[in-house]
Amino acid sequence: MNRSTGTTDDFAGSGGKTDAPAAQMDDPAGTAFRHAPTAMLVADRAGAVLLVNQAFTTLLGYSPTEVAGRHWPELFETDDHGRAWEQHSRALRGSAPGQWPDLAIRTARGRSHRTVVQARPLPSTAAADEVAGVVVQLSAVSRDEETLRIVTELRLREADTALWSLDLTSGRLSELFGPSPLGRMLAGEACTLEECLARVHRDDVARLRDALETSYQGRDYEQRFRMFDQVGDERWLYARGAYVGGERPRLVGVVDDMTEHVELVRRLADRRRIEAAQGRQVNELAAKLVSATTVEEVTDLLGREFLPIFGGDSAHVMLLDQDELRLHSTRTANVERWLEEHDHRDVSYPTGAVLQDRQPRFFESRSELLGRFPAVEGTLRRTGSHSWAFVPVFGDAKVTLGVWVVAWTQPHHATPDERALMLTLAGLAGQALQRVNRQRAELELADAVQKRMLPPQPPDFPELDVAVRYLPSRAGWRVCGDFYDAIRLPGSRIGLVVGDVQGHGVEAAAAMGQIRMAFRAYASNQSDPGTVLAETNRLLTETGEIVFATCGYLVIDVDLGQIQAAWAGQPPVVLATGSGYEVWSPETGPPVGVDSEAKYPVSSRSLPPGSTLLMCSDGLVESSEVNMDDGLAAVGRELDAKAADVHQAATALARLTPAGRSDDIAILVARVR
């Protein structure tokens, strides 16, 4: 295949012509391809575009010459490159996915256009059982996917939601993703609008019917109403829907269970001592509790910020730690530390009783507490409090995590509404603590995996200074697949590697470790960088796992002042001398793990004396807001300013990060002494 001219050697449907594009084909296959109503392209095994049809040009605005030779997965948005390469790899293996993916492709004008991508193998004319390349069809997103997007946007605004669709022609009501727990509780086996309306509170039925009538006129829908569930309990619901026209008009939307919220609002409204401003404060603090990210934030909210709501004078939280109930640190000044003087799990004391039966305890006076728990008589002499609330902090499945203690210096009667609110807040706190503990465990595991998989600091080379940096993404702590390595080779040669495994998580880190070890193994007995890259690629494709990685492998011959590079989609090398910089782009092949037969050419050049070179993953120089050319220019100037010291240069680049920190970043800076 000639990438510069777009010829089609050995491709079926070319009518024996090996140097004519599809638009000039006079055989039936070529004519069908050219005039197909759907955008289509033909690519070789490496993913390079050979042919495109008229519909492709009309859809995206690219001329055939503009895309000829480009890797077709790279036409898509950066975040979808990996999924597009996955479709290419599947097509080469003849494996079709259960559902074709919906990906965003960039038009010639720079706009993003969502399409359904269908990649299929193209048989070779030489042998029917061989695959010469792939045929890719780009279809507009279907109506169902547009509907799903609308529902998803609505769904994300609330929790505890059922997703529904109402056929306005037949009156049939169904769940988009069901049956959900909320759907089963509300409707059971009911599948029509009338069957569901039969369960609606009679005072709300007429209003619901009036709102539905407007929907038949093409309007959206939004209603709050009461409905009786399968066991006869009244539920407060909030339903929203968007009108979708067509031959069979529909309403698609979400319904949220607002019962707990409504009941809480009612209880708050009945509390005469709490003003409307305090009610808003409850909501704000509850939101803080839900979004808390540390144990200290949760306990500080319970021990300090929630205290004014109940008029308390002191509060603290005791949490279970390896079967021991321990007083957790808090910024509350007047902490009831007298409770530290006994075994908290002893049922002779209120905290132990609460832990045992998970029931709150409220005491309006010292005599009431002493009458129920005589063991506290001695400790009561050392506290000025007169009333207490001992509330269990529990998470999912009512697992008790600790006890929240609120104290008043004057006799205090906790109303039913106050007690219910305390239980609600304690439940939210328990869920927050469980979430924090899970996140902490995941972070500890992730940190261990990251330290295990990332290589240590590079070895000291007498003839070469090397500095490395790894920066995790700030978009969320994730184990990622970026890696670097420096390898001593026979003679005066040193190998440098930087790569980026597609995806995030423990699997990406494991793949990163596998690739790094493969590089070391093959580099030890292969002198040609292209062979090392090809063997690593073959190893990945033969494992049967869908793992893709961009890699750059560079070998420095210190004695000869030469560098050789084999490249698989990594950003170019930046060379700086202190008086200027240049960007060197080695000839590249496809990412490793895509095509087992891929070859990786070797590019060579001299290394000017006093040069400092930079290899990096694309997270340093490219993002959705920064194109690679601008990113390379920024790091080139910074590298040139710090070229004499690789460690200062690496630190400066880690601080600069021109593309931001939305992706993880690997940096390797080297300089011949």
Side-chain angles (χ1 to χ4, degrees), residues 162-186:
L163 311 181
W164 55 270
S165 174
L166 172 62
D167 189 326
L168 295 178
T169 302
S170 65
R172 187 173 184 82
L173 189 66
S174 61
E175 286 192 71
L176 294 181
F177 300 100
S180 66
L182 180 60
R184 288 194 298 267
M185 179 179 66
L186 294 176

Side-chain angles (χ1 to χ4, degrees), residues 1-34:
M1 187 276 293
N2 186 329
R3 294 187 182 177
S4 63
T5 61
T7 59
T8 58
D9 299 336
D10 198 35
F11 276 80
S14 66
K17 299 179 180 182
T18 61
D19 58 356
Q24 299 173 350
M25 292 180 182
D26 55 8
D27 65 334
T31 302
F33 176 86
R34 175 186 178 186

Side-chain angles (χ1 to χ4, degrees), residues 129-179:
D129 58 345
E130 293 182 4
V131 176
V134 299
V135 177
V136 182
Q137 176 179 326
L138 307 176
S139 306
V141 176
S142 69
R143 174 184 292 270
D144 287 341
E145 289 172 287
E146 292 181 19
T147 300
L148 178 60
R149 188 173 296 110
I150 294 171
V151 174
T152 302
E153 290 175 356
L154 294 173
R155 169 66 180 88
L156 293 177
R157 299 175 190 171
E158 301 288 346
D160 300 324
T161 301
L163 311 181
W164 55 270
S165 174
L166 172 62
D167 189 326
L168 295 178
T169 302
S170 65
R172 187 173 184 82
L173 189 66
S174 61
E175 286 192 71
L176 294 181
F177 300 100

Side-chain angles (χ1 to χ4, degrees), residues 431-556:
Q431 293 174 14
L433 287 171
Q434 284 186 322
R435 184 182 66 253
V436 168
N437 289 333
R438 284 193 296 266
Q439 291 174 346
R440 183 170 58 186
E442 291 172 0
L443 290 179
E444 291 174 354
L445 173 61
D447 185 58
V449 171
Q450 194 80 355
K451 291 179 180 178
R452 186 74 174 176
M453 289 300 180
L454 273 178
Q457 289 297 315
D460 291 330
F461 301 109
E463 61 275 68
L464 187 73
D465 290 326
V466 180
V468 295
R469 298 290 187 273
Y470 174 79
L471 306 176
S473 166
R474 284 180 178 168
W477 209 106
R478 300 176 294 184
V479 185
C480 302
D482 282 21
F483 65 96
Y484 47 74
D485 207 353
I487 309 168
R488 164 62 73 184
L489 303 176
S492 61
R493 301 166 69 244
I494 298 172
L496 304 177
V497 182
V498 170
D500 183 359
V501 177
Q502 181 263 333
H504 300 279
V506 176
E507 291 182 358
M512 172 264 285
Q514 181 184 26
I515 295 173
R516 191 171 67 86
M517 291 301 101
F519 262 100
R520 280 189 163 269
Y522 291 128
S524 64
N525 55 30
Q526 296 286 351
S527 60
D528 181 68
T531 302
V532 174
L533 204 55
E535 290 296 321
T536 303
N537 172 65
R538 182 180 57 80
L539 174 65
L540 284 182
T541 55
E542 288 180 352
T543 60
E545 299 178 1
I546 301 177
V547 177
F548 311 105
T550 56
C551 300
Y553 179 43
L554 187 147
V555 177
I556 301 177

Side-chain angles (χ1 to χ4, degrees), residues 618-653:
D618 59 358
L620 178 65
V621 295
E622 184 179 40
S623 68
S624 58
E625 290 81 23
V626 179
N627 64 57
M628 185 173 292
D629 290 339
D630 293 340
L632 289 170
V635 300
R637 291 189 294 268
E638 190 71 18
L639 181 68
D640 189 58
K642 306 289 192 305
D645 189 320
V646 296
H647 296 285
Q648 287 187 9
T651 300
L653 292 172

